[in-house]
Amino acid sequence: MIFLFSKTCFAKTSLILSLFPFKHSRQMARSAIDEVSETGSFTRTASTFRSFISRDPNSQFPAESGRYHLYISYACPWASRCLAYLKIKGLEKAIRFTSVKPIWEQTKETDEHRGWVFPATDTEEPGAEPDPLNGAKTIRDLYELASTNYSGKFTVPVLWDKKLKTIVNNESAEIIRMFNTEFNDIAENSSLDLYPSDLRDQIDGTNEWIYNGINNGVYRCGFATKQGPYDEAVKQVYEALDKCEEILGKQRYICGNRLTEADIRLFVTLIRFDEVYAVHFKCNKKLLREYPNLFNYTKDIYQIPSMSSTVNMQHIKRHYYGSHPSINPYGIIPLGPDIDYSSPHDRENFSA
């Protein structure tokens, strides 16, 4: 069984009342902070746009160079893993990308929604660019352009079809699978297969417990509003990290001695752990740097050609510490630890 979980970065929306008499009012999805049950537990909701790009030229969304555009935030781990695939598969010439500003801002004057916003100029925000295709001011604009009746989350990543002017997919777990195989006829690194057939069962199983315990686990810690759910979530985070540490003491990568999808999915959380999650999300029982295997493993992945360009720590820290006022009301950004992930590691000791 293939496990494709909904992993996107969230933007806050408010209760919108319909102005039309024949429609009932409806609650729009809000930020991850607001997706908390009465028990105090955080529960992530699913992505909405789930079409698939195919190598079949007769499909609705055929894999064509120059047709698609990827919208991301460097701050968002789910979007960053799509960018990682774009880079390491050699798809930058075929699929361009644009990054939004790191800190959520108000997206419309008519409501209180705060979310992902494009800079007005190329020089306003280093690392972010204005929307080059539709002149959108916000990611919300893209969703409303794609669907006039859309009432879900305004999230990144967004895989956009320039020809049909719509969102193909906003589920990162599916986007990376498309990038892995469907564009191989035009990818510069088409031989790289991060989801090989002989490891798929192992990758799927690994993705499941890493998502539950680590990728989404840190959010369950950070957005918990009661002690019980936090205690349960943080216990699961460290059980999963301990499991990773043990596995990585025996092999170079999480599913063996080959780089796979599971490594990219794990990396995007690990690279944010000491800088953000240990402080902002209260995952401070043990730092990543206190796990010798995990720390060296993170440096190993970071040093894969083009991977470091997907990590913008300024965007990462400014987003988390500046966009969640219920957690960090004054928006103060901690100074450290400023880790050098380009420093030497010991992972070559394991055969690749």
Side-chain angles (χ1 to χ4, degrees):
M1 182 179 292
I2 297 176
F3 294 89
L4 295 177
F5 298 94
S6 299
K7 304 159 200 65
T8 46
C9 292
F10 297 79
K12 184 179 179 183
T13 56
S14 60
L15 179 63
I16 304 297
L17 299 178
S18 172
L19 300 178
F20 299 95
F22 302 106
K23 293 183 179 180
H24 62 276
S25 63
R26 57 191 176 188
Q27 176 75 46
M28 295 198 47
R30 297 166 291 167
S31 76
I33 296 176
D34 298 313
E35 293 188 309
V36 177
S37 69
E38 293 182 358
T39 65
S41 299
F42 166 66
T43 304
R44 190 181 298 275
T45 55
S47 303
T48 305
F49 290 87
R50 308 296 285 271
S51 297
F52 205 85
I53 296 172
S54 172
R55 300 175 76 171
D56 181 357
N58 298 315
S59 66
Q60 182 183 8
F61 299 103
E64 299 174 357
S65 180
R67 175 167 175 169
Y68 304 99
H69 195 87
L70 181 67
Y71 292 97
I72 61 116
S73 165
Y74 283 106
C76 170
W78 320 118
S80 292
R81 68 190 190 187
C82 295
L83 181 59
Y85 265 70
L86 194 73
K87 298 266 190 175
I88 63 179
K89 284 289 294 185
L91 288 169
E92 290 180 87
K93 294 179 182 178
I95 305 171
R96 301 292 184 179
F97 75 94
T98 299
S99 175
V100 294
K101 296 163 69 174
I103 300 177
W104 288 344
E105 298 179 14
Q106 188 170 351
T107 59
K108 276 192 176 180
E109 295 181 355
T110 54
D111 59 43
E112 298 179 355
H113 171 264
R114 298 183 68 82
W116 303 111
V117 174
F118 296 99
T121 67
D122 289 321
T123 58
E124 178 186 343
E125 179 70 54
E129 311 83 28
D131 174 25
L133 302 179
N134 306 291
K137 304 300 182 184
T138 69
I139 290 294
R140 176 180 182 171
D141 290 345
L142 296 177
Y143 278 83
E144 294 179 344
L145 180 61
S147 175
T148 55
N149 296 318
Y150 183 73
S151 61
K153 301 170 294 189
F154 306 119
T155 64
V156 288
V158 168
L159 186 57
W160 182 266
D161 183 348
K162 294 189 283 186
K163 182 177 180 179
L164 298 181
K165 293 188 179 298
T166 193
I167 297 172
V168 179
N169 198 294
N170 67 339
E171 170 51 60
S172 65
E174 295 174 355
I175 293 172
I176 62 176
R177 295 274 173 93
M178 297 180 219
F179 288 176
N180 185 58
T181 58
E182 302 308 302
F183 290 89
N184 275 345
D185 290 339
I186 52 180
E188 294 180 358
N189 195 10
S190 59
S191 62
L192 176 64
D193 185 2
L194 297 171
Y195 190 57
S197 58
D198 61 318
L199 290 178
R200 288 181 181 178
D201 288 343
Q202 184 181 357
I203 292 170
D204 291 338
T206 301
N207 285 345
E208 182 183 15
W209 63 262
I210 285 178
Y211 171 74
N212 290 327
I214 299 175
N215 299 142
N216 196 51
V218 294
Y219 282 87
R220 291 173 56 227
C221 294
F223 294 143
T225 58
K226 294 183 180 180
Q227 190 68 44
Y230 164 79
D231 290 342
E232 178 182 358
V234 79
K235 178 176 181 289
Q236 293 176 357
V237 165
Y238 282 97
E239 286 176 347
L241 288 174
D242 290 344
K243 183 175 181 178
C244 288
E245 178 71 5
E246 182 179 0
I247 291 171
L248 293 170
K250 303 171 184 175
Q251 58 199 38
R252 185 163 186 174
Y253 301 114
I254 201 68
C255 287
N257 286 319
R258 278 184 284 173
L259 180 75
T260 69
E261 172 186 296
D263 296 298
I264 306 302
R265 290 170 56 130
L266 176 58
F267 169 80
V268 295
T269 300
L270 297 181
I271 198 71
R272 291 161 171 78
F273 200 88
D274 285 8
E275 298 278 3
V276 173
Y277 302 143
V279 179
H280 192 60
F281 282 173
K282 306 177 184 68
C283 297
N284 63 345
K285 178 182 177 183
K286 192 173 181 179
L287 298 175
L288 179 69
R289 288 166 289 168
E290 297 177 87
Y291 287 100
N293 295 323
L294 270 170
F295 185 44
N296 279 284
Y297 165 84
T298 303
K299 291 192 286 185
D300 190 14
I301 305 298
Y302 179 83
Q303 292 172 33
I304 292 171
S306 298
M307 280 297 293
S308 62
S309 67
T310 71
V311 180
N312 186 322
M313 197 57 71
Q314 288 299 313
H315 276 226
I316 290 169
K317 293 178 71 171
R318 289 178 60 206
H319 167 67
Y320 283 96
Y321 292 113
S323 299
H324 304 148
S326 63
I327 298 176
N328 189 31
Y330 295 104
I332 296 171
I333 303 173
L335 180 62
D338 195 22
I339 301 166
D340 181 11
Y341 288 99
S342 63
S343 61
H345 60 79
D346 65 358
R347 302 305 290 172
E348 294 93 344
N349 295 334
F350 299 92
S351 59

